[in-house]
Amino acid sequence: MNRLAQESSPYLLQHRDNPVDWYPWGDEAFAEARRRDVPVLLSVGYSTCHWCHVMAHESFEDAQTAAQMNRDFVNVKVDREERPDVDAVYMTATQALTGQGGWPMTVFLTPDREPFYAGTYFPPQEGYGLPSFRRVLASIADVWVNRRGQALENAQALTAHLKDLGQPRGSAGGLPDGALSRAVEHLRRVFDETLGGFGDAPKFPAPTTLDFLLTQPAGRDMALHTLRAMGRGGIHDHLGGGFHRYSVDAQWLVPHFEKMLYDNAQLTRTLLRAHQLTGDEEFADLARRTLAYLEREMLSPTGGFYSAQDADTPTEHGGAEGLTFTWTPEEIREVLGGEADLALRYFNVTPDGNFRDPHRPEYGSRSVLHTPTPAGDLSRDLGEDVGARLADLRARLLAARQARTQPGTDDKVLTSWNGLALAAFADAARILNEPHYLEVARRNADFVHRELRLPDGTLRHSFKDGQARVEGLLEDHALYALGLVALFQAGGDLAHLRWARELWEISRRDFWDDAAGVFYATGGRAETLLTRQAPGFDSAVISDNAAAALLAVWMHRYFADEAARTIAERTVNAFAADLLAAASGFGGLWQAAAFLAAPHLELAIVGTPEDRAPLEREAARHYLPFVALTPAEEGGDLPVLEGRPGGGQAYLCLNHACRLPTRDPAGLAGQLREVTAGAVTPGRNAGS
């Protein structure tokens, strides 16, 4: 075993038996590189990454390749989920050098941590239009010995470029009038009207973009069509619930099979909002099945949520992508017997299949389940209601699938992604009126407060094997605080909102740069890296600056914190040039811009939980993305509660002008309809 055997990250532990003399990220590795006068080979990936497994098997487990790596380099392995700050810096370098990024990421550094050459996956032999990995190793070693001046010059120039890229391109005037409409128009130009989604293959869920479009009446059709297409495609796990990482094609048919906590948490909230807008039970059912998956397979006994599940199924021949999730007609018939024909038709399982793992041809053609024909349409075709039968068949197939070898689960708990899950369960409890979800959310908050919060209020980033590790980043504080806001809105415990405010103050203290007008991803006690980045572009998760800006507006709405609103405005304006140049990828900041432009809407529902319940149920039927919803007992230190008696009364205020208080859910519904003009009527099915 190498040094990685002492680590807790599941990804690093996957490489502990490699013949490569791996170091974890840290001063020891770079000191050794200086002592030996060799460059550092930085390899970044994550435990559920298919191509990371491929490169590991082809190269890092190969004795000759490992010997070459050990001779000419100090080799450092990083889990990009455990150290997103390290990953972000060197991914920016990789994209600057190659024009693209991805994992596994391979970067060559000087002993001073400056990058001078980078790529992603390198094959063992020439292929995919790429040089072989061993050829790359030999070339870099030769450059370091014979042309080091060139390498150092490249490293210095690239480092300067990275520092420049870390600064947002501001706009003196901020966003102009009509900017939100322009963003919707831009997204419509790249929208796939037939298949949903944006652009061509591969297609990613893009929940932040969908969430923004749901706030804009002119863009809702794009979001709703995309969600329906995803829900019926193979990117959705039709048996176990939840969504795979992305679709390799434009049809949402064949996914990359890994399942990530962040995708499923974010998409759950998007689906719940779509349900509020339309009343369409298809969205509610997708949300429920996703939450069921998260509870069944991703929730730890302690209350924290695991990070991810692998794309590959372990086999005696090595990993086979998608083997757990795909089917042949024979396998369906073996499980369902005489009921198989209905399942084969509904899930579109054919002898020819639609998926084949090119690395494991011995498994042949298999089918990714998908349902282009909704159950209601199938019932009409067959002249009978097949809903109950399909539910039974789905349960039987899932039970059979659970008996198969399962993909690995990365069981580290990340604070930031748990904030996303916290918000999803809290929203589900409120919108679907299912108290069980609220208990899951409260347990998560208790777990994070107990295990990941330090005495000074700051958070740690990850938790594994009973230990909290890595100093908390902006994403941890901002995303968990947003989850706590959602939990307060669902449960009415002011302690959760006060904790969110504490995390906001830490975010402002440790990560806000007043001179630059942006939040940096790192700060406080976190390690100082080559450069500090101020992310505004959403990757798979809403960007740090968008999350912090949204949190700032909530703090303004709940606590009348004018400084917080100013910070939110400055943050959005700092990225104005980027937002105006390309709406895609900035859904989070567009949401913040929409929140800032929205009317100041407060809804306080005051009284005991029993007294509040009818009014809260009515409020939950309405799509109110930017309302300061305040369910609380009488009293409290929030401005919205000041002087407002309880007994089960709702107080709705628009731009500080308040309607008459009401105890009548129908009366509240009328008031809410007035302030949500332009939304799809709650309870109405917007069609399919």
Side-chain angles (χ1 to χ4, degrees):
M1 290 187 181
N2 54 48
R3 293 171 184 82
L4 301 186
Q6 304 303 314
E7 297 296 306
S8 64
S9 157
Y11 176 64
L12 299 187
L13 291 172
Q14 287 175 355
H15 295 269
R16 62 187 170 187
D17 295 319
N18 292 169
V20 178
D21 186 19
W22 290 115
Y23 284 76
W25 177 270
D27 293 339
E28 181 185 1
F30 292 95
E32 178 66 7
R34 282 189 291 274
R35 187 189 70 78
R36 289 178 51 199
D37 193 27
V38 296
V40 169
L41 189 164
L42 172 64
S43 176
V44 182
Y46 55 105
S47 70
T48 58
C49 166
H50 172 70
W51 285 99
C52 298
H53 299 329
V54 172
M55 189 168 178
H57 177 68
E58 292 173 340
S59 295
F60 303 148
E61 296 172 11
D62 178 70
Q64 287 185 304
T65 304
Q68 189 176 354
M69 293 171 67
N70 295 337
R71 183 187 68 228
D72 295 331
F73 304 93
V74 168
N75 303 290
V76 174
K77 178 62 77 172
V78 166
D79 179 346
R80 66 109 172 174
E81 296 169 357
E82 187 176 63
R83 293 302 304 265
D85 50 342
V86 174
D87 173 68
V89 168
Y90 295 103
M91 181 59 73
T92 304
T94 301
Q95 292 169 331
L97 286 168
T98 68
Q100 60 187 7
W103 299 275
M105 177 169 63
T106 309
V107 190
F108 295 89
L109 317 177
T110 72
D112 292 327
R113 311 186 191 210
E114 295 183 338
F116 62 92
Y117 184 80
T120 53
Y121 166 78
F122 290 105
Q125 291 88 33
E126 311 292 315
Y128 304 98
L130 297 168
S132 72
F133 186 49
R134 293 183 65 181
R135 177 180 162 194
V136 170
L137 296 175
S139 297
I140 297 298
D142 177 71
V143 166
W144 188 256
V145 172
N146 298 310
R147 288 173 286 158
R148 186 176 304 186
Q150 178 185 340
L152 295 177
E153 184 178 332
N154 289 345
Q156 292 166 3
L158 180 57
T159 299
H161 181 58
L162 293 179
K163 292 179 178 179
D164 182 62
L165 285 176
Q167 305 303 311
R169 296 183 295 121
S171 174
L175 291 176
D177 292 340
L180 296 173
S181 297
R182 285 172 57 180
V184 173
E185 292 169 5
H186 173 87
L187 289 167
R188 192 168 294 281
R189 286 196 294 270
V190 294
F191 177 61
D192 186 333
E193 294 185 359
T194 303
L195 302 170
F198 303 91
D200 205 346
K203 280 186 176 173
F204 290 82
T208 60
T209 295
L210 300 178
D211 283 338
F212 164 65
L213 288 172
L214 290 177
T215 71
Q216 305 299 303
R220 287 173 183 153
D221 63 307
M222 290 186 278
L224 297 174
H225 180 49
T226 298
L227 288 169
R228 288 192 175 95
M230 288 172 53
R232 297 168 187 174
I235 191 173
H236 171 225
D237 180 353
H238 288 270
L239 300 184
F243 291 82
H244 299 290
R245 179 68 196 94
Y246 61 87
S247 173
V248 302
D249 51 54
Q251 292 79 30
W252 304 107
L253 176 57
V254 176
H256 186 52
F257 287 92
E258 63 187 310
K259 295 171 85 172
M260 311 300 295
L261 176 61
Y262 54 72
D263 284 324
N264 288 286
Q266 290 178 113
L267 283 171
T268 295
R269 299 191 83 189
T270 309
L271 290 164
L272 291 168
R273 291 161 178 165
H275 171 63
Q276 283 182 305
L277 270 169
T278 66
D280 191 336
E281 283 299 316
E282 180 178 4
F283 297 128
D285 288 343
L286 286 169
R288 287 188 181 96
R289 291 205 291 269
T290 302
L291 294 168
Y293 154 69
L294 291 176
E295 278 196 77
R296 184 182 66 246
E297 301 186 35
M298 300 292 278
L299 181 59
S300 75
T302 60
F305 287 92
Y306 301 139
S307 298
Q309 288 181 319
D310 211 319
D312 293 0
T313 300
T315 74
E316 60 182 343
H317 307 294
E321 186 174 10
L323 187 60
T324 297
F325 299 100
T326 53
W327 295 80
T328 65
E330 293 74 22
E331 290 169 343
I332 297 280
R333 293 188 187 281
E334 183 179 349
V335 176
L336 300 180
E339 294 278 2
D341 286 345
L342 177 60
L344 292 172
R345 177 174 177 180
Y346 181 61
F347 292 119
N348 282 265
V349 179
T350 66
D352 293 335
N354 52 37
F355 174 74
R356 180 187 291 266
D357 184 346
H359 298 286
R360 295 287 178 263
E362 62 269 25
Y363 293 108
S365 294
R366 303 177 62 81
S367 287
V368 178
L369 305 188
H370 63 296
T371 60
T373 303
D377 293 351
L378 185 58
S379 294
R380 285 189 289 272
D381 291 346
L382 296 176
E384 63 169 310
D385 185 353
V386 297
R389 287 175 61 196
L390 289 174
D392 175 67
L393 299 181
R394 181 182 284 113
R396 289 162 62 187
L397 288 172
L398 176 60
R401 196 184 79 182
Q402 293 294 89
R404 295 174 174 177
T405 302
Q406 299 296 303
T409 297
D410 187 323
D411 62 352
K412 69 176 178 293
V413 174
L414 299 177
T415 303
S416 52
W417 298 1
N418 270 253
L420 299 172
L422 172 65
F425 276 87
D427 277 2
R430 180 174 61 84
I431 294 168
L432 300 178
N433 190 31
E434 296 190 17
H436 169 69
Y437 295 143
L438 185 59
E439 291 308 308
V440 174
R442 284 171 169 160
R443 283 188 64 225
N444 183 265
D446 291 343
F447 162 77
V448 170
H449 195 277
R450 181 177 68 251
E451 301 291 355
L452 286 152
R453 181 182 179 274
L454 298 176
D456 66 353
T458 58
L459 300 174
R460 288 287 178 89
H461 175 66
S462 69
F463 181 87
K464 178 74 167 62
D465 296 334
Q467 289 188 319
R469 299 168 60 90
V470 184
E471 298 295 343
L473 308 169
L474 173 59
E475 66 178 64
D476 300 302
H477 295 85
L479 288 177
Y480 208 79
L482 288 173
L484 289 167
V485 171
L487 180 56
F488 166 69
Q489 293 174 343
D493 187 342
L494 283 166
H496 292 133
L497 188 62
R498 295 188 186 105
W499 185 12
R501 189 182 194 184
E502 174 186 76
L503 295 178
W504 159 248
E505 295 296 345
I506 292 168
S507 299
R508 176 159 56 181
R509 181 194 72 200
D510 290 350
F511 303 100
W512 170 250
D513 186 314
D514 195 60
V518 294
F519 288 89
Y520 284 103
T522 56
R525 291 193 297 253
E527 178 184 355
T528 300
L529 299 173
L530 196 64
T531 180
R532 294 179 79 194
Q533 296 199 320
F537 184 87
D538 299 331
S539 55
V541 177
I542 187 172
S543 74
D544 291 12
N545 272 273
L550 286 169
L551 178 60
V553 186
W554 283 121
M555 294 300 102
H556 169 253
R557 294 295 171 92
Y558 278 115
F559 296 103
D561 186 340
E562 292 296 333
R565 178 183 173 87
T566 299
I567 287 174
E569 290 173 338
R570 292 186 63 196
T571 302
V572 171
N573 289 340
F575 293 93
D578 293 317
L579 291 169
L580 294 171
S584 298
F586 291 95
L589 281 169
W590 280 118
Q591 287 178 64
F595 198 173
L596 286 163
H600 190 124
L601 186 62
E602 300 170 334
L603 175 58
I605 303 176
V606 187
T608 67
E610 294 75 17
D611 290 339
R612 299 194 313 256
L615 295 165
E616 289 186 73
R617 284 196 295 270
E618 179 58 43
R621 295 179 59 246
H622 297 259
Y623 174 65
L624 304 167
F626 304 134
V627 62
L629 177 62
T630 308
E633 303 277 355
E634 186 174 354
D637 56 0
L638 297 182
V640 70
L641 295 175
E642 186 176 347
R644 288 177 170 163
Q649 295 196 87
Y651 303 83
L652 180 64
C653 302
L654 177 63
N655 294 328
H656 307 291
C658 299
R659 272 60 172 174
L660 289 174
T662 181
R663 289 185 168 86
D664 179 20
L668 175 61
Q671 294 181 3
L672 290 172
R673 280 194 291 271
E674 291 179 15
V675 300
T676 57
V680 179
T681 303
R684 171 187 161 201
N685 189 320
S688 58

